Amino acid sequence: MTLAIFDTLARGKRPFLPRLPGKIGMYVCGMTVYDRCHLGHGRVMVAFDVIVRHLRTLGFGVQYVRNITDVDDKIFARALEREIPFTALTTEMIAAMHADERALNCRLPDAEPRATQHIPQMLDLIARLIEKGAAYQGESGDVYFRVSAFPEYGKLNNRNLEDMVAGARVQVAEDKEHPADFVLWKSAKPGEASWDSRWGAGRPGWHIECSAMSMDLLGTQFDIHGGGPDLKFPHHENEIAQSEAATGCTFANYWMHAGPVRVNDEKMSKSLDNFVTLQALFTRHDPAVIRFFLLQSHYRSAISFSEDALTQAEAAYVRLVQSRSDVPVDAETDVEAIGRYMDAMNDDFNTPRAIAVLFDLAKRTDAAAAATLEFLGDALGLFPKSKAAFLADRQALKAQLTGLSDARIDTLVIERSQARAERDFARADAIRAELTAAGISIEDSPTGTVWTRD
RNA sequence: GGCGCGUUGGCAGAGUGGUUAUGCAGCGGAUUGCAAAUCCGUGGACAUCGGUUCGAUUCCGGUACGCGCCUCCA
């Protein structure tokens, strides 16, 4: 079976054909770095990480580019609020983002172009658009893209300009020719960072950076363009418009969008202020659990976030890890299982089906299954640590969340062992109940009693 | 108002025109002083109403409910 990818523009799955044999150029819209990443950002990171991993497993050479938006109103506002230079803020947030990403076991992109470092490319692109009559400077000094110059405007979102105007939620700037025209270059405001240009000092609009940087790094046409669900409109629609208006050729061949993370049936988002940062999540759950939780759903479907859902995912993940071998396995992998895994992943990166294969392997006890489980778990990036390391880390994490100290638990466990030796089972069970109430499980084995935090 | 999406067993979540997804939880058994873990076994589902079909959860249409985008947001 060959790879099929759901293309937002085609509104369906299409067989994947790279522009050049064996090579893939892929661009994903990244973060605006003014705050910590939340679970929604994590989902996009993990989704595209798995996608890139699988493309590489298939043998493609992938050039994975993800931008960093480091000029933006929200960045300026936050920097002002914290009374630090905006570059200090962005430096801090980029470091935090990378830390979150490494924790989630995502490989960093091959390139992370920053808006502030590609101003000349953006200005070039704007100049080309003006030459072609697809952009103009308004009275305010802002330069706008002329939506009417691109007849296909709306094709990604299946919309037309008339409907959008009827929607009447488009903010109207006085000097726009059409309400849907969008800013390419904003004239400078006093006190804010700006760059010189032939249209006056200013800074780039949001959309232009992605067109300029993707074309700069991947060429005027490339294979895959991805991003979060809320980028479909207007961001990606505008990218298509300005890119294709400038070059006259198709911009990206496949458009991929991750689904939203929901909280109480609403999208997790900054504006609704219902987000959970990855950082906060990591204090309660191993990042591998978060990754597993995310991958349990298909990348395009909505995920409902709740502590309960996470707890359930954790139980499943722990069981999967528990079934791993303690020692490296040296055995042939199972061709049939790998075949099923590949079929699942080739069908638009169906990770839930792929994970089902892992559980089928976890059930088996033969060496081939063990070897295959390791192989496929790694392919999905689900096993960043050894079994022992994961279980130990998990205990350490839980230790911070329970009230009883290790020493106190040890004392109780020893007391219970003595009671058992004296066949005082009532006393033994009372201690067990006390520990259970505190979230501690104890297991009696031939070699002694061990306790773990649930 | 415009453009889309979803509705699967207690929960999470795939998939299929007629045959077990998978996981968590539950139940029964083995095991255990009792447990835990493990192993074995097991019940349970396709929102609703019509249509197409020999047969539909799976295709088509209507209805209900939920969600997303149309404004910054991954």
Side-chain angles (χ1 to χ4, degrees):
Chain A
M1 185 183 175
T2 51
L3 178 64
I5 294 181
F6 185 96
D7 176 16
T8 306
L9 183 47
R11 284 172 269 283
K13 286 180 200 171
R14 292 168 51 211
F16 179 70
L17 294 170
R19 288 182 61 246
L20 303 170
K23 293 193 171 175
I24 295 174
M26 173 162 148
Y27 185 94
V28 172
C29 287
M31 267 52 85
T32 299
V33 283
Y34 71 103
D35 204 351
R36 299 291 308 223
C37 291
H38 65 236
L39 188 58
H41 298 106
R43 159 111 106 153
V44 173
M45 293 174 182
V46 169
F48 286 100
D49 178 62
V50 163
I51 287 165
V52 170
R53 281 172 190 259
H54 187 248
L55 293 173
R56 288 186 174 142
T57 301
L58 292 175
F60 289 106
V62 183
Q63 171 76 359
Y64 174 25
V65 178
R66 191 185 59 202
N67 70 299
I68 293 174
T69 300
D70 60 355
V71 223
D72 169 88
D73 286 339
K74 291 187 292 297
I75 293 175
F76 291 147
R78 183 63 59 87
L80 195 66
E81 203 179 295
R82 289 181 51 185
E83 299 180 323
I84 54 175
F86 86 97
T87 48
L89 176 69
T90 56
T91 301
E92 176 189 325
M93 291 307 162
I94 289 168
M97 171 179 83
H98 284 153
D100 287 340
E101 198 164 9
R102 274 191 297 272
L104 287 170
N105 198 27
C106 295
R107 296 175 184 157
L108 294 185
D110 299 300
E112 294 187 283
R114 297 211 212 168
T116 52
Q117 292 166 0
H118 291 78
I119 304 289
Q121 289 89 332
M122 297 186 217
L123 292 174
D124 281 353
L125 190 56
I126 294 170
R128 284 167 76 185
L129 288 169
I130 289 184
E131 276 165 36
K132 296 207 169 191
Y136 59 94
Q137 185 164 30
E139 277 171 28
S140 63
D142 290 358
V143 179
Y144 298 106
F145 181 82
R146 180 178 282 126
V147 142
S148 61
F150 187 66
E152 293 178 280
Y153 190 80
K155 66 178 175 180
L156 181 68
N157 291 274
N158 193 23
R159 282 177 202 175
N160 56 55
L161 287 172
E162 296 78 68
D163 292 342
M164 288 169 39
V165 173
R169 282 170 76 186
V170 198
Q171 71 174 43
V172 197
E174 313 289 312
D175 57 340
K176 281 187 188 178
E177 289 177 6
H178 184 109
D181 287 352
F182 53 91
V183 187
L184 298 170
W185 188 254
K186 282 185 188 181
S187 37
K189 288 185 200 151
E192 282 184 0
S194 65
W195 289 260
D196 286 328
S197 85
R198 49 205 260 207
W199 304 285
R203 60 195 174 85
W206 176 33
H207 314 294
I208 195 70
E209 65 173 76
C210 287
S211 292
M213 298 194 290
S214 60
M215 291 199 247
D216 189 41
L217 278 94
L218 297 171
T220 52
Q221 188 179 161
F222 53 93
D223 299 288
I224 300 172
H225 192 130
D230 27 30
L231 263 27
K232 246 184 266 183
F233 193 92
H235 186 54
H236 289 160
E237 195 68 60
N238 292 353
E239 271 189 61
I240 291 175
Q242 69 203 177
S243 304
E244 299 190 355
T247 66
C249 71
T250 300
F251 181 43
N253 286 144
Y254 296 82
W255 285 87
M256 299 183 71
H257 293 92
V261 173
R262 287 184 195 162
V263 181
N264 297 327
D265 282 336
E266 283 183 321
K267 190 180 70 167
M268 178 178 287
S269 72
K270 298 298 248 184
S271 38
L272 290 171
D273 197 31
N274 60 354
F275 59 92
V276 202
T277 63
L278 293 169
Q279 187 185 32
L281 249 22
F282 295 162
T283 64
R284 302 195 289 274
H285 302 277
D286 191 290
V289 170
I290 306 298
R291 185 178 175 100
F292 178 84
F293 169 73
L294 259 13
L295 260 22
Q296 258 190 324
S297 300
H298 183 84
Y299 77 89
R300 276 189 289 114
S301 65
I303 294 184
S304 289
F305 164 80
S306 68
E307 270 306 318
D308 268 5
L310 235 39
T311 303
Q312 190 173 304
E314 177 152 348
Y317 181 72
V318 168
R319 149 114 208 285
L320 189 65
V321 170
Q322 218 109 36
S323 75
R324 293 175 68 192
S325 166
D326 294 303
V327 293
V329 203
D330 184 26
E332 290 288 306
T333 47
D334 185 307
V335 177
E336 187 273 340
I338 290 182
R340 280 197 293 139
Y341 172 90
M342 293 303 281
D343 283 350
M345 292 299 285
N346 282 338
D347 183 12
D348 195 33
F349 311 97
N350 195 320
T351 54
R353 253 166 74 196
I355 287 174
V357 176
L358 300 204
F359 277 101
D360 286 340
L361 291 165
K363 230 182 297 198
R364 286 164 46 182
T365 52
D366 54 296
T372 312
L373 178 59
E374 289 304 307
F375 177 72
L376 296 180
D378 278 338
L380 285 173
L382 281 176
F383 297 151
K385 302 172 192 169
S386 70
K387 174 181 175 180
F390 171 78
L391 294 174
D393 286 356
R394 181 159 179 272
Q395 286 306 305
L397 193 60
K398 299 296 173 192
Q400 295 168 6
L401 303 174
T402 40
L404 293 181
S405 69
D406 285 11
R408 176 66 185 146
I409 297 167
D410 284 336
T411 306
L412 287 169
V413 167
I414 290 166
E415 235 180 88
R416 175 174 166 277
S417 296
Q418 282 167 354
R420 288 181 71 219
E422 292 158 13
R423 303 196 68 76
D424 180 359
F425 295 122
R427 174 70 188 138
D429 289 347
I431 294 173
R432 176 194 285 285
E434 184 181 342
L435 289 169
T436 301
I440 315 294
S441 306
I442 46 184
E443 300 172 28
D444 299 321
S445 75
T447 52
T449 300
V450 266
W451 57 264
T452 51
R453 292 185 165 89
D454 296 327

